[in-house]
Amino acid sequence: MRILLAGGAGYIGSHVALVLLEAGHEVLVVDDYSNSSRTAIGRVENLTERSVEVIDCDLADLTASRAALHGQQFDAVIHLAGLKAVGESVAKPAHYYRTNLTSTLNLLELMADHGVNKLVFSSSATVYAPAAEGVQNLDEDQPAGTGITNPYGWTKAMNEQIIRDIQHSRPELEAVLLRYFNPVGAHPSGRIGEDPSGIPNNLMPFVAQVAIGRRDRLAVFGDQYPTHDGTGVRDYIHVMDLAEGHLAALDHLRAGVATYNLGTGEGQSVFDVVQAFSDASGREIPYEIVAPRPGDVAKAVADPSKANRELNWRAKRTFAEACRDSWAWQSQNPNGYSAG
Ligand code: WQD
């Protein structure tokens, strides 16, 4: 199929592009490069020896997007385009709502214009309310769309609702919502990876930058949580497993809206991450314990059994492999995609 990959130059997007190309699909990337690099696309083309068509436009601008996509043919859309920094969303809520919701509404309209009914949407475990007492792993029936602690998370929950309501009015629409847990790692070649602009919000890229010497030390956001070592526990999924989950979702599309967790089902604490990354890189990772980050939950680990069963997909790579591959990327690209 020819896939319109919205946000295809980003961290997740570049890995999804690579997996789609290797599966024989054609890829049309639409990206505004607000949090990504055109270089990543060139790296994907080199790795796959396939070419990618790229359209530089802001999907939140319907007029520009309609013009940019005029005459384009595509069979399905994978929508990864959106702002994703939790902390920034608290500081700039209007920007997040306008960008993340408008781009989805526009994409759905452009799909109707082009007669396209297949959609895979990048959602997030952030839509889940904090796990109730005693709940070990979050399944898709857990309460979602309540108790969200930041505008970024709300935009994911609202986008899910927008897609459900539009599918109700457009029964031929086939949609899959993929609730990512914590994507980490890189393609094993180390040629593509995570290149956050500015100070990394997320743990793994920050740890990688400490290991490479770009940051002095890690601030551990609290060590008094009710977890095995007091630090926050998350479900870190290798980005290649995540990318393969999108391919599986494409093959599963049916009329309606289906929702799946993409996670490993295993939890790692912050201290587990520090130790594993130090083992993978051979570098010390200095850290200091600081106050907990507002909005953080103690633990968020997936129950991925529905995706395992219905998508015939399973996370195959270990957390140690994710640290190895993340280190390969960071050590080969100390400054990410920017030269120098
Ligand atoms: C992981 C753990 C922190 C940084 C968010 C979004 C989610 C997705 C992934 C975009 C927590 C601790 C972190 C640091 C730390 N976002 N930590 N020091 O918050 O689970 O999920 O990012 O797609 O939608 O909600 O990820 O990597 O920020 O934090 O101690 O400098 O690491 O407290 O326990 P999170 P994270």
Side-chain angles (χ1 to χ4, degrees):
M1 289 191 283
R2 190 160 196 261
I3 314 290
L4 187 156
L5 184 55
Y11 169 42
I12 311 296
S14 53
H15 289 83
V16 171
L18 181 139
V19 165
L20 292 174
L21 291 164
E22 290 188 340
H25 292 293
E26 288 178 48
V27 173
L28 166 64
V29 164
V30 175
D31 207 306
D32 66 358
Y33 303 116
S34 57
N35 187 29
S36 58
S37 160
R38 178 75 179 76
T39 307
I41 300 294
R43 300 267 181 101
V44 168
E45 290 180 314
N46 293 341
L47 284 166
T48 59
E49 294 177 353
R50 298 277 310 279
S51 64
V52 175
E53 187 169 352
V54 185
I55 291 180
D56 176 352
C57 87
D58 174 5
L59 285 164
D61 179 339
L62 181 59
T63 306
S65 301
R66 183 165 274 143
L69 289 174
H70 181 68
Q72 286 287 351
Q73 183 277 331
F74 47 95
D75 304 301
V77 171
I78 297 182
H79 177 19
L80 314 177
L83 303 171
K84 56 167 252 176
V86 169
E88 186 185 52
S89 77
V90 175
K92 301 176 181 174
H95 183 46
Y96 267 67
Y97 286 117
R98 186 179 307 110
T99 303
N100 287 3
L101 301 185
T102 308
S103 58
T104 302
L105 288 164
N106 289 348
L107 257 181
L108 285 158
E109 187 158 339
L110 292 163
M111 284 173 67
D113 293 350
H114 287 256
V116 175
N117 293 312
K118 296 177 183 300
L119 171 65
V120 176
F121 174 67
S122 162
S123 188
S124 167
T126 317
V127 306
Y128 288 115
E133 196 58 40
V135 170
Q136 285 310 313
N137 294 59
L138 295 166
D139 66 29
E140 292 82 353
D141 297 328
Q142 287 295 316
T146 61
I148 297 174
T149 59
N150 58 83
Y152 158 78
W154 278 114
T155 68
K156 288 298 185 185
M158 291 173 182
N159 273 327
E160 288 195 359
Q161 192 58 45
I162 287 169
I163 292 164
R164 280 191 284 268
D165 288 344
I166 288 183
Q167 196 282 331
H168 189 68
S169 70
R170 222 158 87 194
E172 68 278 11
L173 187 64
E174 306 171 5
V176 165
L177 311 177
L178 297 177
R179 290 175 176 168
Y180 302 172
F181 278 70
N182 290 61
V184 291
H187 186 264
S189 66
R191 300 291 294 145
I192 56 177
E194 186 169 14
D195 182 18
S197 48
I199 299 173
N201 296 285
N202 297 134
L203 178 66
M204 273 291 274
F206 200 105
V207 166
Q209 289 189 12
V210 171
I212 198 75
R214 277 177 68 180
R215 309 274 167 205
D216 291 339
R217 73 174 64 79
L218 170 72
V220 175
F221 296 152
D223 65 348
Q224 300 300 315
Y225 285 104
T227 63
H228 64 272
D229 63 15
T231 63
V233 171
R234 296 292 185 275
D235 185 331
Y236 297 99
I237 175 172
H238 196 297
V239 67
M240 289 302 294
D241 283 325
L242 189 81
E244 289 168 3
H246 291 71
L247 194 59
L250 269 184
D251 294 341
H252 177 83
L253 284 166
R254 310 266 188 290
V257 180
T259 304
Y260 297 99
N261 290 337
L262 292 189
T264 68
E266 303 294 323
Q268 310 290 335
S269 73
V270 176
F271 287 155
D272 292 335
V273 171
V274 167
Q275 185 58 57
F277 206 93
S278 184
D279 294 346
S281 62
R283 303 287 176 89
E284 284 306 306
I285 311 286
Y287 64 83
E288 60 174 331
I289 309 293
V290 301
R293 180 171 62 178
D296 272 359
V297 296
K299 179 178 175 183
V301 175
D303 172 347
S305 54
K306 185 182 174 192
N308 301 157
R309 193 173 56 249
E310 296 185 13
L311 296 183
N312 190 27
W313 166 90
R314 174 178 305 277
K316 298 193 298 266
R317 295 159 180 90
T318 65
F319 183 64
E321 284 169 330
C323 290
R324 177 201 67 193
D325 296 340
S326 175
W327 178 240
W329 153 255
Q330 189 71 79
S331 54
Q332 289 176 41
N333 305 274
N335 295 298
Y337 287 114
S338 52

